[in-house]
Amino acid sequence: MNSHKSSKHPVLLLNSILLGVLYIAIAIVVHGSTSVTFGHKIAIFFGDSITYGDGASNSSHRWSTLVTNALNLQEDNQAISATVLQNTVPVLANNGRDRYQQDIIQRSPNYVYILYGLNDLRYNGANFSTMNFQNDLDEVVAGLISAGIPPSHIVIGSPPYINPTGYSLYPPYNAGSTTKHRQYRDATKAIARRYHTKWADVYQYMLNRGASTLVSNDFIHPNDFGHQAIKDAMLKAN
């Protein structure tokens, strides 16, 4: 008489395991686990220290995270502090013009938010100019659209407001002025209108809603209220 123990067929056992995993996955999604990002559209945020989150009390208060939370997107923050957009001699490391293909296009986002220009307008390099900034922003936006990102999914913000005292501080970023700030603001608008992307007048929005009260004690970076204002301006972009 055979005394061997019976066991489930291997295929049936595998199906049982897969079914169990499926039940667990469904339970996680239904209960809203924050670790589940399946189905969320990705937004890349491209800029300098303000987009990175400097000035905010923590990363949950930076404007990029506030935007993604408001729109139920998945955040991919590709900002690098102390960078500029333009690739102008002297060429600064990690400038936006040189890294947009790797840091945006190759990551295949659904949406792109660009907030550059504040360091460009303050940098004291002799060849840094509104024209060079606008030309390089033009190349970046044209490249994004050629890669298949719809213009309506690209949001360009003007350089954020800072306390005017900050224009002459922190060399080599000490060559700013209100006049240059407005020129760079107009350059972002010109590119947005040319390519029919969305544009947010972040500078004017902050100026009208508290100005220097939205800026931290370093005169440059927005505080939590400032990051909130940038978020609101970006959500109102048209």
Side-chain angles (χ1 to χ4, degrees), residues 218-229:
D218 66 5
F219 302 108
I220 302 294
H221 299 99
N223 54 31
D224 283 350
F225 296 108
H227 277 276
Q228 179 72 38

Side-chain angles (χ1 to χ4, degrees), residues 69-104:
N69 289 343
L71 299 178
N72 195 31
L73 300 173
Q74 180 177 338
E75 179 180 4
D76 186 353
N77 193 307
Q78 290 297 313
I80 300 179
S81 295
T83 58
V84 297
L85 175 82
Q86 55 191 300
N87 175 16
T88 301
V89 177
V91 177
L92 301 186
N94 298 315
N95 68 80
R97 154 62 179 75
D98 282 354
R99 68 186 181 91
Y100 82 94
Q101 294 187 24
Q102 176 179 335
D103 290 352
I104 302 180

Side-chain angles (χ1 to χ4, degrees), residues 100-115:
Y100 82 94
Q101 294 187 24
Q102 176 179 335
D103 290 352
I104 302 180
I105 292 176
Q106 292 182 19
R107 302 177 74 86
S108 302
N110 303 101
Y111 298 91
V112 178
Y113 289 79
I114 300 173
L115 191 65

Side-chain angles (χ1 to χ4, degrees), residues 18-28:
L18 292 176
L19 186 59
V21 172
L22 178 60
Y23 285 153
I24 293 172
I26 292 174
I28 292 174

Side-chain angles (χ1 to χ4, degrees), residues 59-232:
S59 61
S60 68
H61 287 89
R62 67 183 177 185
W63 74 265
S64 59
T65 302
L66 296 175
V67 167
T68 52
N69 289 343
L71 299 178
N72 195 31
L73 300 173
Q74 180 177 338
E75 179 180 4
D76 186 353
N77 193 307
Q78 290 297 313
I80 300 179
S81 295
T83 58
V84 297
L85 175 82
Q86 55 191 300
N87 175 16
T88 301
V89 177
V91 177
L92 301 186
N94 298 315
N95 68 80
R97 154 62 179 75
D98 282 354
R99 68 186 181 91
Y100 82 94
Q101 294 187 24
Q102 176 179 335
D103 290 352
I104 302 180
I105 292 176
Q106 292 182 19
R107 302 177 74 86
S108 302
N110 303 101
Y111 298 91
V112 178
Y113 289 79
I114 300 173
L115 191 65
Y116 253 126
L118 185 59
N119 287 340
D120 296 76
L121 72 90
R122 295 167 49 233
Y123 190 68
N124 60 24
N127 297 319
F128 273 65
S129 67
T130 308
M131 179 181 297
N132 288 333
F133 172 80
Q134 185 168 328
N135 286 342
D136 284 351
L137 181 60
D138 186 300
E139 180 176 339
V140 170
V141 175
L144 298 181
I145 295 172
S146 295
I149 301 173
S152 61
H153 288 195
I154 300 171
V155 182
I156 303 171
S158 70
Y161 175 88
I162 65 171
N163 186 316
T165 301
Y167 289 133
S168 60
L169 302 178
Y170 313 114
Y173 298 97
N174 60 338
S177 67
T178 299
T179 298
K180 289 178 66 177
H181 208 141
R182 294 184 182 277
Q183 290 172 345
Y184 276 74
R185 165 190 173 272
D186 292 343
T188 61
K189 182 179 181 180
I191 297 302
R193 296 299 179 248
R194 176 177 183 180
Y195 290 100
H196 306 289
T197 71
K198 293 183 178 180
W199 180 69
D201 191 350
V202 177
Y203 174 85
Q204 194 66 42
Y205 193 91
M206 294 178 70
L207 180 63
N208 293 345
R209 289 165 177 79
S212 294
T213 65
L214 305 180
V215 181
S216 63
N217 292 335
D218 66 5
F219 302 108
I220 302 294
H221 299 99
N223 54 31
D224 283 350
F225 296 108
H227 277 276
Q228 179 72 38
I230 296 173
K231 180 268 289 187
D232 291 339

Side-chain angles (χ1 to χ4, degrees), residues 28-37:
I28 292 174
V29 173
V30 169
H31 286 85
S33 170
T34 57
S35 64
V36 177
T37 57

